[in-house]
Amino acid sequence: MRSAFVTATATGVAYALVGWIALGLAIPPTYAAPLYPSAGIALAAAMVFGPAAVPGAFLGSFAVNAYTTWLRGPLGVEALLLPALTGLGAALQAEAGRRLVARLCGAPAALSEPGEVARFYALAVPLSCLTSASVATAAFVAAGTVPASGAPFLWWTWWAGDTLGVLIGAPIVLALIGRPRADWAPRRVSLGLPLLVITLLLALAILQVARWDEQRAASRFERDARSAAAAVASRLQQPLAALRALEGLDTVAPDIDDATLRAAMARWLDAEPALRAAGRSVWVAPGDVPALEARRRAAGAADFRVFDRPGAAPRAADEPLMVIVQIEPAATNRAALGVNQRSIPAAREAIDASRRTGLPVASAGFRLTQETGDRTGVVVYQALYDAPPGTEPATEDERLARTRGLVFVTVEPDLLLASAGEREPTYLRRCLLDTDPQAERPLLAGDAGCLEPARAGAHVLSEPVTFAARLWTIRVDAARDAVPDEQRGSAFLFSLVALAAAALLGALLMAVTGRTRRIEVAVDARTAELQREVAERRRAEAALREREQQLRAIVDTAPLGICYTELDGRILAPNPAFCALLGRPAGDLVGRAVEVFMHPDDVPEGRQRLAALREGRIDAYRRRSRFVRPDGSEAEVQISIALLRDDDGRPHRIVGVVEDIGEHLRLAQAERDRDAAEAANRAKSEFVSRMSHELRTPLNAMLGFAQLLELDRAPALAPHQSGWTAQIQRAGWHLLQMINDTLDLSRIESGTLRLHVEALDLRELLPACTALVEPAARARRLRVATAVEPEAATVLGDLTRVKQVLVNLLSNAVKYNVDGGTVDVRARAAGEDRVAIDVADTGLGMTAEQVAHLFEPFNRLGRETSGQEGTGIGLVIARRLAEAMGGTLQAASRPGEGSCFTLTLPRGDAAAHPPAESAADEPPALRYRRRLVHYVEDNATNAEVMRGILAQRPQIRLEVSALG
């Protein structure tokens, strides 16, 4: 026990001392050296002292890696885990190398024969060194010290360093302590000393080349980093220039309207993506807020209101407000219009500073009101004063008293940083930091890692920059090994080549100086080889007998027909599957030619192939054929024939494998038929979908411009022209409905239809649907009545699709009714969890045969010449939509008595939907607006057309949400 402790301790001390010296050759950040002689010390000690030296490799490696970890930060439990894992890899490598050397070169290994030296250098050492490299790489990647992308380079460096360290270090150590001493002692001067001197000289050369690499990389980073910082600093001037332009515009025209502001700022906003907003604010007392809101609404901002930012601290009742009254671009900054900027803590400080100084002042970073995500923004404010041009207030008190508002620009530093770095090297990491220790968001732009201390060896450049009275820092950094360098790795390549040459020199010296005991070793090796050959021969004979038995069992139980024949085709030994395939016992087959049982049409080809086999022109072939059974039936088979040769290479026998492929052929044909049908269906669906989308775009444009012509009153259309536009719209809407129906059917068939199922109140939904068919019903003097039972008030379904189904049923009830008839809509309970909606009319009705074909696509049941518009797919879509929502759609009809369509849907939660208030007393203007909103919501494809109408006719007022 004491001897093992001494051995492990001595090995660990030697390992650690040499390892710390080798750190000078390490390649950061992994501290993997291209030459690591400590691995050679561990292997040599394990070869000489056995497993007792293996714990010393663990201790030495742990000490070295713990030291390198301490260099990078304080030690902790997690920091010690990485050295422990690398130490485990070193110990496993020493043991693996000891075992491999013992197996490949013998134990104790004298390494005197050229073959032993070759196996030691080419196999034992490279293979054993895979262990530590693999364990260490996995540990470094798992700990996050090295990214996954750097794992291959780390593994290769680690493996090469250990391999060269063993190839050079192990012979030096073995020359000092190797056993047997008679083989190793004479090599101290001839082997150990030359390798030691060469290694020291190469280490000095490697250090110098590595130092040149580091200097070149640092110079490259310094140049690129300063250029990147200058680009960011230059880009920061863009928002300030835009602010000055906005201030000058306000000076010239204090009451500028929204359109002029939009035109003036368009160039700045387009030129600088980081410029998120620009606008004006007014200084207003609390009592003047209603007047301000009224003025802005009269100017066109219909929904303008003054408010504090949500979550802001309460303010005094008499505290003035700084309210945003104009902001561009309006589309993306609408949420900020009307906000009291002084309710934002970061903005309040900057606004007051600008009021006091009269200079532009930037706020600290904060989340912008108009942004939905957590993106940091900075706003630069320029106070405006109530004074004639050229007579600005001179004192702070005058500025505070005469403040009338401000102009501002909003900057998103992340976008500014990205645009400034478009032409900069990608290896640089750029960050923009606020140096104010009170800033809530010190990181204005860049990666969150910029707030962490730089890693050891990383390149860092920090440049202070003043932006609108606020001190920022532009930080540019890069990992030590990320700087591009065409000559990077020259030290590593130089070391590999030089050290490999030194290793080869060591191998040559080892082979030249190891001539003792060669004859004895050769005799022992030959004797052992003969013994192994005898044992291998016996094992081969036993294996051959076992293989023969296995093959016989396989042939007898194989599901394929196997037949062993003479060269002329006479059957020698058929297996049971072959007999079953032909429907004959083995006795009827043996001795007879195979062609006797083949279909007559296949015999000529079989004879030609058989002749080619006998003559040796081919060794095998495959073909399809047919066998005739005793009952006259035919078996479709796949035949695989192979020629067997004797020891002299002459044709000897023939073996054939026969597979019944009748079922396979039928299955393949069925699959081809199925694939063809599916392909045709997909092609049809794709064609319908593409054509529907392509037709809708020009059709929407035609409808939109027809509506514009109808609404235009300067001058108004002639009466006959109005009729023409009405005819265009009727035809267009009919065609658009046909296209939408076709597209819906395509989506349903392809499975791409998306539904949003929710609880729907039929007391609100049914009146909304009947209102859409009210004009057509009134034209034909039809009475439309609705009734909803209390227990059937709510259903579950997609609002748009349920409304689509009901409107389709109501439209058909009106279309195919008689003048002066009725349409009754009734919602009733249909079981515990179902609601049925009946739509009954007093129309012509249908026969039983027509009802049977009612839900077939494009079948109008003979109504094509009735003059009623339609495509024949509306009811098909309605039924499939109902089924997609978990419901059904059924029809019942009798000729001359009308029809009744029943839509069944799952019951909803009635308690969550109280009855709607009556709309009987609704003002006509409000009812018109509500219907127009419903129209836009129900016809999403016409949104672009309606936008064009609204742009030309501002007097038409719609809720903004309806056009969303």
Side-chain angles (χ1 to χ4, degrees):
M1 177 68 70
R2 181 176 181 181
S3 176
F5 175 79
V6 173
T7 299
T9 302
T11 303
V13 170
Y15 189 108
L17 289 176
V18 176
W20 287 329
I21 296 174
L23 288 180
L25 302 176
I27 299 177
T30 62
Y31 291 91
L35 177 65
Y36 196 65
S38 295
I41 294 175
L43 178 58
M47 290 171 58
V48 175
F49 302 108
V54 172
F58 172 83
L59 295 175
S61 177
F62 177 85
V64 173
N65 286 280
Y67 172 70
T68 58
T69 303
W70 173 78
L71 290 178
R72 289 176 282 182
L75 291 177
V77 176
E78 295 181 359
L80 293 178
L81 181 60
L82 190 60
L85 291 175
T86 54
L88 178 61
L92 293 175
Q93 177 173 291
E95 178 61 16
R98 183 186 70 82
R99 291 175 179 269
L100 280 173
V101 171
R103 181 174 182 82
L104 298 174
C105 307
L111 301 180
S112 58
E113 280 285 331
E116 291 179 353
V117 175
R119 289 191 293 274
F120 178 84
Y121 274 75
L123 293 177
V125 174
L127 292 178
S128 64
C129 290
L130 297 174
T131 308
S132 180
S134 301
V135 173
T137 301
F140 274 100
V141 173
T145 305
V146 176
S149 59
F153 178 72
L154 169 62
W155 184 93
W156 164 251
T157 307
W158 199 290
W159 175 83
D162 279 8
T163 301
L164 293 174
V166 173
L167 294 179
I168 296 176
I172 296 175
V173 177
L174 287 173
L176 297 174
I177 64 172
R179 296 177 184 174
R181 298 303 301 155
D183 293 335
W184 287 104
R187 303 187 188 184
R188 292 179 180 177
V189 176
S190 59
L191 176 63
L193 184 59
L195 285 179
L196 180 60
V197 174
I198 292 174
T199 303
L200 293 176
L201 293 176
L202 290 177
L204 294 176
I206 292 170
L207 288 174
Q208 183 59 41
V209 176
R211 188 176 296 110
W212 291 338
D213 283 349
E214 287 296 323
Q215 293 173 354
R216 186 169 55 254
S219 176
R220 170 69 180 272
F221 168 81
E222 182 77 13
R223 182 175 65 255
D224 292 343
R226 291 197 178 278
S227 173
V232 175
S234 174
R235 202 74 179 198
L236 286 173
Q237 300 306 313
Q238 289 289 92
L240 299 180
L243 183 66
R244 288 192 295 270
L246 189 58
E247 181 187 13
L249 182 64
D250 183 86
T251 302
V252 175
D255 296 324
I256 185 172
D257 57 36
D258 294 347
T260 304
L261 178 65
R262 184 180 305 111
M265 296 310 297
R267 180 179 66 85
W268 296 97
L269 294 171
D270 293 340
E272 178 51 70
L275 197 61
R276 304 294 290 166
R280 297 173 61 249
S281 300
V282 297
W283 182 252
V284 59
D288 297 333
V289 168
L292 173 64
E293 292 178 340
R295 288 198 304 273
R296 289 303 301 152
R297 290 171 182 169
D303 56 350
F304 180 85
R305 67 180 183 87
V306 177
F307 64 97
D308 286 346
R309 179 166 175 165
R315 56 180 169 84
D318 58 346
E319 180 181 347
L321 294 80
M322 186 67 76
V323 180
I324 297 178
V325 295
Q326 291 175 307
I327 189 168
E328 291 296 332
T332 58
N333 293 278
R334 189 177 301 276
L337 193 63
V339 68
N340 174 20
Q341 292 175 297
R342 298 185 82 242
S343 65
I344 306 171
R348 183 189 187 103
E349 180 179 352
I351 291 172
D352 292 343
S354 180
R355 291 176 57 211
R356 289 193 300 269
T357 63
L359 299 174
V361 178
S363 70
F366 65 97
R367 187 184 69 81
L368 300 176
T369 301
Q370 62 270 40
E371 290 288 345
T372 57
D374 189 20
R375 301 175 69 90
T376 300
V378 173
V379 182
V380 186
Y381 303 95
Q382 172 63 61
L384 303 175
Y385 303 102
D386 189 8
T391 60
E392 298 295 328
T395 66
E396 179 177 317
D397 292 337
E398 289 181 6
R399 295 189 189 97
L400 293 176
R402 303 182 68 176
T403 299
R404 64 178 176 86
L406 57 81
V407 291
F408 64 89
V409 293
T410 301
V411 182
E412 190 169 331
D414 260 326
L415 295 179
L416 187 142
L417 194 67
S419 61
E422 290 177 351
R423 298 184 179 180
E424 301 300 327
T426 57
Y427 76 90
L428 296 176
R429 183 176 69 172
R430 291 166 291 273
C431 304
L432 198 57
L433 305 175
D434 193 339
T435 59
D436 186 357
Q438 304 299 324
E440 181 181 352
R441 298 189 178 202
L443 177 63
L444 299 174
D447 190 88
C450 293
L451 298 176
E452 300 175 359
R455 288 191 173 185
H459 301 284
V460 180
L461 175 68
S462 295
E463 289 286 342
V465 60
T466 301
F467 179 72
R470 198 164 189 89
L471 184 60
W472 290 353
T473 296
I474 303 172
R475 170 172 166 165
V476 184
D477 60 22
R480 183 176 181 180
D481 57 344
V483 181
D485 188 358
E486 294 77 10
Q487 302 181 27
R488 177 178 296 278
S490 58
F492 180 70
L493 294 177
F494 171 80
S495 63
L496 284 184
V497 175
L499 294 173
L504 292 178
L505 177 61
L508 179 61
L509 292 174
M510 192 176 296
V512 169
T513 59
R515 290 183 172 274
T516 61
R517 299 180 57 203
R518 178 167 298 178
I519 297 176
E520 181 182 355
V521 172
V523 171
D524 293 341
R526 182 56 181 167
T527 302
E529 183 179 355
L530 289 175
Q531 292 174 350
R532 287 195 299 270
E533 288 178 357
V534 171
E536 287 291 334
R537 184 175 300 173
R538 291 175 180 174
R539 286 195 295 270
E541 292 175 354
L544 182 60
R545 289 192 297 269
E546 182 180 359
R547 190 178 301 110
E548 181 180 357
Q549 294 173 358
Q550 292 174 351
L551 290 176
R552 187 180 299 278
I554 291 172
V555 169
D556 291 342
T557 58
L560 300 176
I562 301 175
C563 180
Y564 188 62
T565 73
E566 295 284 0
L567 292 176
D568 57 2
R570 286 183 293 109
I571 299 174
L572 294 177
N575 75 335
F578 186 83
C579 297
L581 181 63
L582 269 63
R584 302 173 186 271
D588 291 347
L589 299 177
V590 175
R592 303 178 67 181
V594 176
E595 67 180 30
V596 174
F597 311 103
M598 297 176 63
H599 192 281
D601 295 341
D602 299 335
V603 171
E605 182 181 357
R607 289 177 178 174
Q608 294 176 2
R609 298 289 184 90
L610 190 62
L613 280 176
R614 286 198 302 267
E615 297 169 4
R617 288 184 281 122
I618 60 175
D619 289 331
Y621 70 87
R622 289 171 59 89
R623 60 175 292 224
R624 287 175 54 179
S625 184
R626 292 166 290 176
F627 282 116
V628 180
R629 299 188 179 98
D631 58 0
S633 62
E634 298 179 1
E636 289 275 349
V637 296
Q638 180 76 34
I639 301 176
S640 298
I641 302 297
L643 178 66
L644 303 179
R645 298 179 182 272
D646 57 16
D647 295 338
D648 297 329
R650 293 189 298 271
H652 179 58
R653 293 285 191 275
I654 296 175
V655 64
V657 178
V658 182
E659 179 184 6
D660 188 352
I661 62 172
E663 188 65 24
H664 295 294
L665 295 177
R666 290 188 291 274
L667 179 60
Q669 183 59 41
E671 291 178 350
R672 287 192 295 271
D673 294 342
R674 181 200 61 193
D675 294 342
E678 291 178 351
N681 187 53
R682 286 194 300 270
K684 182 264 295 180
S685 297
E686 291 179 4
F687 174 78
V688 170
S689 177
R690 291 178 181 176
M691 289 302 299
S692 298
H693 282 292
E694 293 296 331
L695 291 173
R696 284 166 61 176
T697 300
L699 186 56
N700 284 336
M702 289 188 285
L703 286 173
F705 283 109
Q707 291 172 333
L708 290 176
L709 288 173
E710 185 180 26
L711 294 173
D712 198 351
R713 294 294 181 269
L717 295 177
H720 67 283
Q721 291 175 328
S722 298
W724 293 344
T725 59
Q727 187 67 22
I728 291 174
Q729 292 186 56
R730 282 195 298 272
W733 290 121
H734 174 62
L735 180 56
L736 183 60
Q737 183 62 39
M738 292 172 61
I739 293 172
N740 289 337
D741 288 346
T742 305
L743 185 57
D744 279 345
L745 183 60
S746 174
R747 288 173 177 168
I748 295 172
E749 290 181 347
S750 62
T752 59
L753 182 68
R754 297 184 177 179
L755 299 175
H756 176 64
V757 178
E758 58 182 331
L760 307 176
D761 194 336
L762 294 179
R763 293 166 294 187
E764 299 176 358
L765 182 60
L766 291 182
C769 295
T770 56
L772 296 176
V773 299
E774 182 181 345
R778 189 167 49 249
R780 300 192 61 188
R781 294 177 290 105
L782 297 177
R783 183 181 63 83
V784 181
T786 61
V788 179
E789 296 181 359
E791 61 273 17
T794 58
V795 295
L796 292 177
D798 183 284
L799 175 61
T800 302
R801 298 305 180 179
V802 172
K803 188 180 296 184
Q804 178 180 349
V805 174
L806 291 175
V807 171
N808 182 277
L809 297 179
L810 289 168
S811 299
N812 287 344
V814 172
K815 186 188 307 182
Y816 298 109
N817 213 325
V818 296
D819 293 341
T822 61
V823 177
D824 292 322
V825 183
R826 176 171 172 255
R828 55 183 174 82
E832 295 182 356
D833 57 350
R834 313 290 286 182
V835 172
I837 305 172
D838 298 324
V839 180
D841 62 65
T842 57
L844 301 177
M846 296 176 287
T847 64
E849 181 179 359
Q850 289 176 320
V851 172
H853 298 283
L854 184 61
F855 295 97
E856 294 178 356
F858 306 104
N859 189 346
R860 297 197 61 195
L861 307 180
R863 304 288 172 88
E864 295 84 351
T865 59
S866 64
Q868 297 290 350
E869 297 178 343
T871 61
I873 62 174
L875 287 176
V876 178
I877 295 173
R879 167 173 276 190
R880 297 190 182 179
L881 288 175
E883 292 172 349
M885 293 182 289
T888 60
L889 179 61
Q890 304 293 335
S893 181
R894 290 185 180 180
E897 297 182 8
S899 304
C900 179
F901 289 82
T902 301
L903 171 64
T904 304
L905 292 172
R907 187 193 303 272
D909 183 6
H913 298 270
E917 296 181 2
S918 173
D921 299 331
E922 186 179 42
L926 181 59
R927 183 161 58 253
Y928 168 75
R929 183 175 64 177
R930 177 176 56 81
R931 291 181 179 176
L932 190 55
V933 170
H934 282 312
Y935 167 77
V936 177
E937 291 177 337
D938 291 341
N939 297 273
T941 57
N942 300 320
E944 293 297 333
V945 176
M946 295 307 299
R947 288 191 181 95
I949 295 174
L950 292 175
Q952 299 295 328
R953 296 298 178 188
Q955 67 271 22
I956 301 177
R957 300 300 182 188
L958 288 178
E959 296 295 338
V960 175
S961 61
L963 293 174

